[in-house]
Amino acid sequence: MDAAPAADFFPDSPLVAEVLASPNHGERQFDVTSGVAAPDMLLLHYTGMESTAEAVEWLRSPERGVSAHYVVFEDGRIAQLVPEARRAWHAGASHWAGATDINSLSIGIEIANPGHDHGYPPFPAIQVEAVTALCKDILSRHRIAPDRVLAHSDVAPLRKADPGEKFPWEVLHRAGVGHLVEEVPPSDGRYFMRGEHGQPIEALQAMLALYGYGVPVNGTYCETTEAVVRAFQRHFRRSRIDGVADVSTLATLYNLCAARTA
């Protein structure tokens, strides 16, 4: 990975209040056979540290080797750390729709929030408003499909839970950002969980894989399948996060896939 020296640059978005340049970035790598030659994914994270200042320092530290393109602070201020043309190091080991170099394909936004390990407070309305505005601005400059606006947990379900179930995806969706359907409320009924086997589980895995999740299609409700179901719930069926494929989860997933192809 090649890292350019930390230097100021002109921000890509007029919404940026300051540039806090990070040295942690490199050249984007694209598969020429795919026809993709520019970022076509927007990935949302939370910072996941008790102190936002510490998180920003972490994203700018050459020793840490991580970064993101943007940070949105609790008060709605936006800082840019890496130019959009460069490959920031925010996704880590990840997978979506057959792709594994998510850093090359994506623009990463870190949302200041201490996360699940540190109390996980709600996202302030002013911060959500700023995230929404930034996403809209990025989408105005890049050809990113609604179903390619994703959570870190979507592309790395075994490792990550951010930005988590408290992030109000519906606010972004009402503003024209991302892909969402109304949740089918949880109810009693048949469900599938870890350790089970069979054709219905294979059908569930196939539907998750069709949407983009990195899940084996083998008919076994394994650790990875459970993690992927939980990631799906964090983004699309947030009323209960348990990794169990109940009727609500299955129906919401079906509606989501159907809405994408409609």
Side-chain angles (χ1 to χ4, degrees), residues 73-88:
F73 293 86
E74 292 91 339
D75 62 1
R77 288 180 300 117
I78 299 171
Q80 187 168 1
L81 281 63
V82 174
E84 290 178 10
R86 300 288 289 175
R87 179 183 183 273

Side-chain angles (χ1 to χ4, degrees), residues 24-140:
N24 303 330
H25 54 85
E27 296 285 346
R28 292 186 182 274
Q29 304 294 325
F30 298 108
D31 180 357
V32 294
T33 64
S34 70
V36 177
D40 69 345
M41 183 182 298
L42 185 55
L43 203 61
L44 304 190
H45 309 251
Y46 61 40
T47 50
M49 300 179 74
E50 288 188 276
S51 162
T52 300
E54 182 183 3
V56 172
E57 182 180 350
W58 188 280
L59 293 165
R60 301 177 71 204
S61 168
E63 291 76 23
R64 303 301 181 186
V66 294
S67 62
H69 294 92
Y70 296 96
V71 174
V72 181
F73 293 86
E74 292 91 339
D75 62 1
R77 288 180 300 117
I78 299 171
Q80 187 168 1
L81 281 63
V82 174
E84 290 178 10
R86 300 288 289 175
R87 179 183 183 273
W89 305 339
H90 57 100
S94 49
H95 179 288
W96 190 259
T100 55
D101 185 1
I102 302 303
N103 283 336
S104 282
L105 296 175
S106 64
I107 293 171
I109 300 175
E110 290 277 357
I111 306 165
N113 186 293
H116 291 83
D117 292 339
H118 305 288
Y120 194 33
F123 295 85
I126 192 170
Q127 184 185 44
V128 174
E129 182 180 348
V131 171
T132 304
L134 177 60
C135 288
K136 291 183 69 174
D137 178 67
I138 292 170
L139 295 176
S140 74

Side-chain angles (χ1 to χ4, degrees), residues 129-187:
E129 182 180 348
V131 171
T132 304
L134 177 60
C135 288
K136 291 183 69 174
D137 178 67
I138 292 170
L139 295 176
S140 74
R141 290 181 281 103
H142 296 274
R143 298 181 65 180
I144 297 176
D147 59 355
R148 303 274 286 185
V149 181
L150 298 167
H152 196 189
S153 56
D154 289 321
V155 302
L158 283 164
R159 300 187 301 110
K160 297 295 181 180
D162 57 313
E165 61 276 7
K166 290 184 180 179
F167 186 72
W169 291 98
E170 72 281 356
V171 175
L172 277 68
H173 186 248
R174 285 198 296 268
V177 176
H179 184 219
L180 205 67
V181 295
E182 187 175 353
E183 291 186 21
V184 176
S187 62

Side-chain angles (χ1 to χ4, degrees), residues 186-211:
S187 62
D188 295 333
R190 182 75 173 98
Y191 58 85
F192 304 105
M193 58 191 303
R194 190 167 173 179
E196 295 191 63
H197 309 269
Q199 193 280 329
I201 292 168
E202 184 176 346
L204 162 67
Q205 293 169 326
M207 202 179 309
L208 288 164
L210 175 67
Y211 196 74

